[in-house]
Amino acid sequence: MKLNSLIEENFRLADIQKMALRKLGIKTIEDLLYHFPVRYGDTSSMKNIGSLVAGETVAIFGKICKLKTSKAFIKKIPMAEAFIEDESGKIKVIWFHQPYLAKMIGDNAFVKAEGKVSERKGELYMSNPKIEVVSKLPIGVGDSLFGERGESYTLYPVYAESRGVTSNWIFHKIQKAFGAGILDEVIDPIPEEILKKYSLPSLKTSLIWIHSPHRQKDAESARKRFAFEEIFFIQLEKQKERIEYRQNPAPIIDKNEKDLENFISRFPFKATSAQRKAIADILADFKKGQAMSRLLEGDVGSGKTAVAAVAVYAAATTRPKGQDFGSLEVAYMAPTEILATQHFESFIKYFSNLNAIGLTQLDAVRGASEKRPSHTSQYGEEASERSNEEMRQMRKSYINIGLITGSGCRKFPSKVNPLGWTDISRAQLLKWVANGEIPILIGTHALIQKTVNFKNLALVIIDEQHRFGTAQRQKLAKKSALVPHLLSMTATPIPRTLALTIYGDLDLTLLDEMPEGRKKIITEIVLPIDREKTYEKIREELKAGRQAYVICPRID
């Protein structure tokens, strides 16, 4: 028996059992060993057979007798039957789909059985109880089970089951694997010094304790070790990804502080100290020449989008290296079309002021051109050509913003209305993005489609980080010859220590302040009897010109 050998190579399986094991995700002996119990039997529920009541889940001790195999009368299901008796009485036990138990357990053996007591035609019985042969019976029940006169027995593991494979079947197969010496093959992946440092049992000991604990403390120690192992390897994997990502050179974005302050001053609110710290962290990363990977965590309304807007402005107004034209590009991915559209509209507000300034300058140049002499002297032609070039440069200075979703595409600004947006075809938008003419592209998963290509992608922003996987982030990051900076954002209020574990490949910045003027969120529970009053209150608010929204958990 080997760890990587298939279950069916070591145990005789019926088709229904093969199907059940596939459903449980158990293919190899190693999978079986790592199919951990969901709970353990409560030893305090041990009772005399004579005191059993239908409906309760109990553990009983007794002598098994009258073992036999048979088939169900109607469905012809193979099963094993027996009686378990102690000094107070006896009870019938039945195991469906497990006739082999009649051969494994001999008549008159001392056993411990755990399961639910049922009743049929006035007779109590136990269906598919978990059973184990014991060396001797305890004296009495209750406290005396573990007293000086009684025998101490192990806890009983309870596993996740599927039709055809019971918890008891899994338990016996694991014990058979242990008996075959399978534990001698296991190699502990955690170094011994780390096990000693955190007082953790070895892998071999942990596997024994989690499947056959003598005490609850043993089972808890084993679970602690496997929980540590899972987190330990998540952290190692994340650190490896972080090192590999940061080894790649990234565009250096070194924006003038005065320009940034002018941009921030146009916000409709005063930036908080937490926002300014977050902006400083991001800008410091931009200057290092290594790819930034940062997680921005803050509650709803804490101003994450404003911080992202500053980062976008810094990137979108920076020239690519070695060029005196064009700009670096930004991809901003949101999980839903509604959220992507909201960000598109927010960014229009942030950047329309810049375009309005450019429009005023353009009008001034156009007006000066119209006042120039209309004769075609050499000087007049030069002046006219110069004004046209100035206007072309003014148009190029606009901050173009694109939106791509499954429903369609938009572009800001519109040629007709420089302060508004217009619908455009997907082909036209993709062409402009590939040429570098749209430095800011906002979208949903449509951003990671093969048809979307960037010329100088320098910054990737992922909103609602927990809604996207690592593979999706990597797909977006690979859409340029450059290695872009990565800024992830989330409003999920997870503890810092947990965030550092789950997102170990990201630096963490917290927005722990709300902008001034934000009202406190009030949460109330409305009882069913007050529902009509609540609806009436909502009607009054709507009549007063305010807004409300309803979240319904049903899709249909």
Side-chain angles (χ1 to χ4, degrees):
M1 188 179 290
K2 302 290 184 182
L3 281 172
N4 60 354
S5 60
L6 297 176
I7 289 284
E8 56 196 55
E9 293 175 357
N10 295 275
F11 303 112
R12 184 182 298 174
L13 300 176
D15 289 340
I16 192 173
Q17 291 174 322
K18 293 177 182 178
M19 189 182 301
L21 289 171
R22 282 196 298 268
K23 188 175 180 181
L24 292 171
I26 301 174
K27 296 180 181 179
T28 65
I29 297 297
E30 186 174 19
D31 294 336
L32 182 65
L33 296 183
Y34 277 84
H35 185 71
F36 296 150
V38 293
R39 64 181 176 85
Y40 297 93
D42 184 3
T43 54
S44 64
S45 65
M46 295 181 186
K47 299 182 68 175
N48 281 325
I49 294 175
S51 63
L52 298 182
V53 178
E56 61 182 351
T57 300
V58 297
I60 59 173
F61 285 89
K63 185 171 68 173
I64 195 164
C65 58
K66 298 183 180 179
L67 265 167
K68 66 176 183 176
T69 59
S70 61
K71 289 188 177 181
F73 180 70
I74 298 177
K75 294 186 177 181
K76 305 300 181 182
I77 297 172
M79 60 185 187
E81 297 181 66
F83 284 90
I84 298 177
E85 61 181 4
D86 63 10
E87 67 275 9
S88 66
K90 65 179 181 179
I91 185 171
K92 186 176 183 179
V93 289
I94 304 171
W95 292 278
F96 295 103
H97 295 291
Q98 300 177 75
Y100 59 88
L101 287 176
K103 299 178 181 179
M104 290 177 57
I105 305 171
D107 256 342
N108 299 319
F110 292 143
V111 295
K112 176 186 175 184
E114 182 184 21
K116 186 176 181 179
V117 180
S118 302
E119 184 177 6
R120 184 173 182 270
K121 294 182 179 180
E123 182 183 2
L124 297 180
Y125 70 96
M126 295 177 73
S127 175
N128 288 335
K130 190 181 302 295
I131 193 163
E132 181 186 19
V133 176
V134 296
S135 58
K136 61 180 180 178
L137 295 178
I139 300 173
V141 295
D143 294 336
S144 66
L145 283 174
F146 303 102
E148 294 179 357
R149 299 178 300 160
E151 179 74 16
S152 176
Y153 289 95
T154 60
L155 297 174
Y156 268 70
V158 179
Y159 300 91
E161 303 176 330
S162 186
R163 184 173 177 268
V165 170
T166 65
S167 177
N168 198 38
W169 186 92
I170 294 171
F171 173 76
H172 282 291
K173 291 299 179 277
I174 290 175
Q175 297 305 312
K176 189 172 182 179
F178 285 171
I182 194 69
L183 293 177
D184 295 332
E185 277 195 39
V186 299
I187 299 174
D188 201 326
I190 300 180
E192 190 174 348
E193 57 268 24
I194 294 181
L195 294 175
K196 289 181 179 179
K197 180 178 180 181
Y198 295 101
S199 301
L200 299 172
S202 67
L203 178 57
K204 183 176 180 179
T205 301
S206 298
L207 287 170
I208 295 173
W209 282 359
I210 203 161
H211 292 295
S212 310
H214 284 269
R215 301 173 299 169
Q216 188 68 34
K217 188 176 180 181
D218 294 342
E220 291 172 357
S221 296
R223 286 193 178 277
K224 178 182 175 183
R225 181 247 148 75
F226 287 116
F228 177 89
E229 180 179 320
E230 185 174 356
I231 294 174
F232 179 67
F233 285 112
I234 288 174
Q235 289 181 327
L236 285 180
E237 183 181 0
K238 294 295 184 181
Q239 289 300 316
K240 181 182 177 183
E241 291 175 3
R242 180 174 184 163
I243 292 170
E244 290 176 350
Y245 191 76
R246 292 196 170 183
Q247 285 176 344
N248 300 311
I252 296 176
I253 303 173
D254 191 359
K255 197 64 185 172
N256 184 285
E257 290 187 11
K258 184 178 179 181
D259 290 343
L260 290 172
E261 281 299 326
N262 288 336
F263 181 77
I264 294 172
S265 66
R266 298 190 185 98
F267 288 175
F269 53 86
K270 183 180 178 181
T272 64
S273 57
Q275 284 177 311
R276 288 190 172 276
K277 181 182 181 303
I279 292 169
D281 289 343
I282 293 169
L283 295 177
D285 288 342
F286 281 170
K287 298 176 184 179
K288 293 177 180 178
Q290 294 179 330
M292 173 185 76
S293 51
R294 184 170 293 278
L295 174 66
L296 183 63
E297 181 184 337
D299 202 356
V300 175
S302 60
K304 296 187 296 298
T305 305
V307 172
V310 176
V312 170
Y313 170 76
T317 55
T318 299
R319 303 290 188 197
K321 186 178 180 181
Q323 292 183 198
D324 58 356
F325 61 91
S327 62
L328 298 176
E329 295 167 294
V330 179
Y332 194 123
M333 188 160 71
T336 65
E337 289 192 16
I338 292 175
L339 195 56
T341 304
Q342 287 177 347
H343 287 317
F344 177 69
E345 294 170 351
S346 296
F347 272 52
I348 288 176
K349 294 177 182 177
Y350 287 131
F351 290 93
S352 59
N353 288 330
L354 300 177
N355 289 1
I357 293 171
L359 184 62
T360 302
Q361 294 172 342
L362 182 61
D363 288 339
V365 171
R366 186 184 294 112
S369 175
E370 292 172 354
K371 292 179 181 178
R372 290 192 178 100
S374 58
H375 56 77
T376 57
S377 66
Q378 179 183 355
Y379 300 104
E381 290 176 356
E382 289 178 358
S384 177
E385 188 63 34
R386 188 169 63 251
S387 65
N388 290 335
E389 179 61 26
E390 287 175 350
M391 284 189 284
R392 281 194 293 269
Q393 293 299 325
M394 292 289 182
R395 292 185 194 278
K396 287 183 179 180
S397 68
Y398 283 4
I399 302 293
N400 293 316
I401 305 172
L403 173 68
I404 180 170
T405 65
S407 300
C409 301
R410 297 177 184 177
K411 176 187 172 292
F412 167 83
S414 165
K415 286 185 178 180
V416 178
N417 177 16
L419 299 181
W421 56 266
T422 183
D423 289 317
I424 62 173
S425 69
R426 182 178 294 264
Q428 184 62 65
L429 178 69
L430 295 179
K431 179 181 176 181
W432 282 338
V433 171
N435 292 338
E437 296 179 47
I438 296 184
I440 304 171
L441 183 60
I442 300 170
T444 56
H445 291 77
L447 281 174
I448 59 178
Q449 292 178 351
K450 292 181 179 180
T451 53
V452 181
N453 296 297
F454 296 86
K455 187 175 183 179
N456 295 298
L457 183 60
L459 175 61
V460 170
I461 298 178
I462 308 290
D463 198 11
E464 297 299 334
Q465 154 74 24
H466 60 283
R467 301 282 292 275
F468 298 100
T470 303
Q472 290 170 319
R473 282 163 37 192
Q474 290 174 347
K475 277 186 181 180
L476 191 52
K478 291 178 180 178
K479 283 193 169 289
S480 174
L482 299 169
V483 178
H485 298 284
L486 173 66
L487 176 64
S488 295
M489 302 194 298
T490 181
T492 307
I494 56 178
R496 181 182 178 87
T497 50
L498 185 57
L500 291 174
T501 297
I502 299 175
Y503 307 122
D505 56 330
L506 304 172
D507 292 319
L508 182 63
T509 297
L510 297 176
L511 289 182
D512 52 5
E513 291 181 69
M514 286 289 187
E516 292 181 7
R518 292 277 185 181
K519 290 185 178 180
K520 183 180 179 182
I521 297 174
I522 301 172
T523 303
E524 296 181 2
I525 296 176
V526 179
L527 299 176
I529 58 174
D530 297 326
R531 187 173 294 173
E532 287 302 323
K533 293 180 181 178
T534 303
Y535 288 150
E536 186 57 38
K537 186 177 179 181
I538 292 174
R539 292 188 191 99
E540 293 174 0
E541 296 292 341
L542 294 176
K543 289 177 182 177
R546 297 184 179 90
Q547 294 173 302
Y549 66 89
V550 177
I551 299 174
C552 182
R554 294 194 60 172
I555 297 173
D556 297 332

